Amino acid sequence: MPSPVEDIKSRLSAADVVGSYVRLVKAGQNFKALCPFHNEKTPSFYVSPARDIWHCFGCSKGGDIFAFIKEIEGVDFPEALELLASRAGVILKKEDPRLLTERRRYFFLLEEAAKFYEAELAKRRDVLDYLKERGLKEETIKSFRLGYAPQSWDGALAHLRGMDFRAEEAERAGLAIISQNPEARSRFYDRFRGRIMFPIADGAGRTIGFSGRIYEKDLPKNESPENAGGKYINTPNTLLFDKSRVLYLWDRAKNEIRQSDACILVEGQMDALMSHQAGIRNVVATSGTALGQGHLNLIRRLTSKLFLAFDADAAGELATKRGVDLILSSGFDVHIMEVPGGKDPADAIRANPELWAEAAREAKPVISFFLGILQKHFSSDPRKLKSETGKLVLPYIAALENEMERAHWVQETSKVLGIKEEPIWEEVKKLRLGGLGAKITSVAPDAPVAPAKSRRDLLEERVLGMLVWKRGEFLEKLKATARDFFSEHHKPLLECVFNEKIPAGGGKLKENLEKLALEAELLYGEMPARNASRSEAGGEKVHEEFHLLLAELEKEHLKARLGTLAAEIRELETSGEEQKIFPKLTEFKELSQKLSNHNVKKEI
Ligand SMILES: [Zn+2]
C-alpha cells in the first residue's frame, strides 16, 4: 500500500497544486510565473511537470507539492498533508481533536462556531427576511454560510464549551473577550452579539475568522450601533487570522481570478456576495480593513490586472482614496468600473445584475477614467482642468513602470488639455524624482537571497544538472578521470548520477539533483529556437556546451590542485625534506602544462 504522501503525489501534480495559487505560463516543457515568495518583476519561478517539482532561481526556494503548501500557507507538514489529502480525496486516519496542535484545534473550534451561527440564523425568520430584502437569495445565504450571533453574553461560548472547547481557546480564536468587570458572572463573554455573521476563510476554504454586521432590531433599548462596537466588527488578529493578508471570498474567487486574469476589488462583504450571486466571481472584498501591501501580494500571485468599482459621481472623493496610489505603485494594471446609478455595488447589482456585468466589461484604464471625469466636470474652466489634472492624473502616469505606457498617457493628456507634451513630461519627471519615485523604489524587487557560490561550484552544479537531465547521454563522455574534477561536497551527488540511483534516505540529494536538472533544462533546453530541426542542431549545441563546461571544470580543478601542490612544496622546502619535493615538482610541471594547453586551445 502506498504511503499517504505517495498516494497524494500520484493524484496531484505540481503544476495543478502550484497553479491553483500562482498564474502559470507555459515555457517550453515547463511553466513559469512570478515568484510568490519574493518580490520580482520578471519570472524566475518554474514548475517542471516532468520532474513534478517547483523551483525559484531568484530566492532558491523549491521542492515538491508539500514544500509548496507549507511555504505558501505558512503551515507545518501535518497540516500540509491534511490540506492536500482532502484535495486529492485521500482519507487520512482521523485524529482525536484533543490531541491536535493548537493551530489545528482552532480550525475545529471556528468550524463549530460557524455551524452554530448558521443554525442560529435558520431560527431567525426576521433576519433571513432582512437579508433577502437586501438582495441575497436563500441559496447564497446557505452556500456562503452566513450566520447569526444571538444577542446574548455567552451563546457561542456555551455551545463551544459543550463541544469540549475551553473559554480561553475561544478567546484566543477571537470569538470571546475577557471581561473587565470584576463582578461579572463569568470571566469571558461573546465578542459577536446580535450580529449577522460572515465567515472569512483562508485560501483553502477553512474558516479563520468572522465579520459581524450589526442587526439593529436586536440592539438593546437606547443602545446605538457605535456603543455596541460599530456597524461591523471583525475577528482581531489571531494565530489563524491576519487581517493584513485576508480578503473576503478569496477562496471562492481565486480560480476565477486566475482564469479571467483579472480581480475585482470591492469594499464590503455584501458587494462581494452580490457579485458572486450575479455570476461575476472574480471578486474579493477588503472587509473593513484598509487595503495594504499584504492583500496586493496575495492578488498579484494570480493576476496583475485589478478592477476597482467606483461611483462616477464621487470623483473628488477618489482623489483622496487611500489605496489607489499603493495599487498603482505596486505595478498593477488598474481599471475602474463605473458603478451604475451611482450606488454602492451591492445595491446596483440588486437593481440590475446585468448592468454590473456590463460595468466589468467596460472598465476603463484608471488614467482614462480620471481624464474623462475631469473633462466632464471642468469643461468650462480650462485653467481648473489643467490644475486638477496635474493633481489627480499626473501622479498615476508617473507611477507607471513602463516608459511606453507613460508616453501613451502623456499624449492622451496633452490632447485633453490642448497643450504640448513637453510641459506634461516635465511634471511627470518631477513627480518621479520626488515622492512617487521613493514609493516606487520601496516596492522594487528584493535582491535575490541565494548565497554567492564560487565559479567552481557553479560549473560542477551545471555539469551534474546536465548529466541528470540528459539521463546518461553524457555519462559515457565523462571519462573516468573527470570524477576527480569534482569537489568533495559534490561527490555524493556525483555518485548518485554515476550509479543512476539515489541511496535510501537520500531525499535531499534527489531534490538537489532535480533542481540542478531543471536549471540545465531551462538553460539549454531551448537551444536553439524551438523548430523542426531542434533535435539535430539543438543536440549538437548542447554537446558543445557540455564539453566547454567540462573543459572549464578541468581548468578549475587543475588550478585548485596546483594551489595545493605549491603549498605542499613550500612546506617541504622549509622542513628540508628535499627528496619528497621532486615528485611534487614533476606533477606541478605536468599540471601547469595541461592548464596552459587548455588556455591555448581557447585562444585558437
Ligand atoms: Zn522566489
Side-chain angles (χ1 to χ4, degrees), residues 111-126:
E111 175 57 28
E112 275 313 320
K115 283 188 198 152
F116 168 75
Y117 295 135
E118 278 180 289
E120 288 298 309
L121 178 61
K123 291 181 201 161
R124 290 292 297 265
R125 203 63 249 173
D126 60 328

Side-chain angles (χ1 to χ4, degrees), residues 354-594:
E354 189 35 50
L355 287 181
W356 176 248
E358 200 181 301
R361 280 195 299 274
E362 294 185 350
K364 291 195 193 88
V366 63
I367 298 168
S368 115
F369 177 78
F370 285 151
L371 278 175
I373 283 178
L374 293 173
Q375 210 173 2
K376 207 162 76 189
H377 267 256
F378 302 111
S379 53
S380 57
D381 186 351
R383 233 184 57 150
K384 188 94 175 139
L385 175 63
K386 284 191 190 93
S387 67
E388 288 298 309
T389 304
K391 266 193 278 177
L392 194 58
V393 175
L394 297 193
Y396 294 140
I397 298 180
L400 292 170
E401 276 299 289
N402 185 314
E403 178 82 33
M404 298 281 282
E405 271 184 64
R406 279 205 298 276
H408 169 79
W409 291 113
V410 166
Q411 196 181 29
E412 289 297 302
T413 310
S414 99
K415 276 187 215 155
V416 168
L417 299 183
I419 58 173
K420 288 204 179 110
E421 288 185 28
E422 284 74 26
I424 303 172
W425 273 118
E426 284 300 307
E427 285 304 308
V428 167
K429 273 176 199 148
K430 263 190 241 161
L431 284 164
R432 277 185 73 77
L433 287 172
L436 254 161
K439 218 180 280 167
I440 289 163
T441 46
S442 75
V443 292
D446 296 345
V449 290
K453 285 177 185 159
S454 72
R455 180 165 186 272
R456 188 175 181 191
D457 268 340
L458 289 170
L459 283 166
E460 290 180 15
E461 288 186 347
R462 198 127 299 160
V463 169
L464 283 166
M466 281 183 115
L467 287 172
V468 180
W469 170 43
K470 286 290 172 187
R471 286 178 198 278
E473 193 181 316
F474 289 125
L475 215 50
E476 310 122 49
K477 300 207 162 81
L478 202 67
K479 287 167 279 169
T481 50
R483 191 187 293 247
D484 299 332
F485 297 171
F486 287 82
S487 328
E488 272 316 305
H489 65 277
H490 278 143
K491 291 273 164 73
L493 286 174
L494 189 66
E495 289 312 309
C496 294
V497 177
F498 275 166
N499 303 331
E500 293 193 72
K501 81 171 208 253
I502 311 280
K508 201 77 205 160
L509 287 176
K510 182 172 175 349
E511 204 182 301
N512 260 326
L513 284 175
E514 292 286 6
K515 185 201 106 180
L516 295 176
L518 174 61
E519 199 164 23
E521 188 188 329
L522 293 172
L523 270 167
Y524 305 113
E526 299 298 310
M527 185 182 265
R530 271 181 298 150
N531 56 32
S533 63
R534 178 193 167 147
S535 54
E536 284 300 305
E540 266 171 37
K541 192 92 177 85
V542 171
H543 278 89
E544 211 174 283
E545 281 289 333
F546 185 70
H547 285 292
L548 272 175
L549 284 173
L550 267 191
E552 288 299 305
L553 186 55
E554 185 176 13
K555 269 161 66 182
E556 290 295 328
H557 163 68
L558 288 172
K559 280 189 214 158
R561 180 69 193 137
L562 283 170
T564 321
L565 276 174
E568 283 171 0
I569 291 167
R570 264 197 310 275
E571 207 162 288
L572 291 172
E573 272 169 354
T574 32
S575 63
E577 296 171 87
E578 305 273 322
Q579 73 284 19
K580 285 189 191 162
I581 291 183
F582 186 69
K584 300 260 177 207
L585 275 176
T586 317
E587 195 188 345
F588 192 88
K589 261 188 217 151
E590 277 171 19
L591 296 184
S592 310
Q593 189 57 46
K594 255 191 189 173

Side-chain angles (χ1 to χ4, degrees), residues 35 37-38 56 58-59:
C35 177
F37 306 124
H38 82 280
C56 173
C59 65

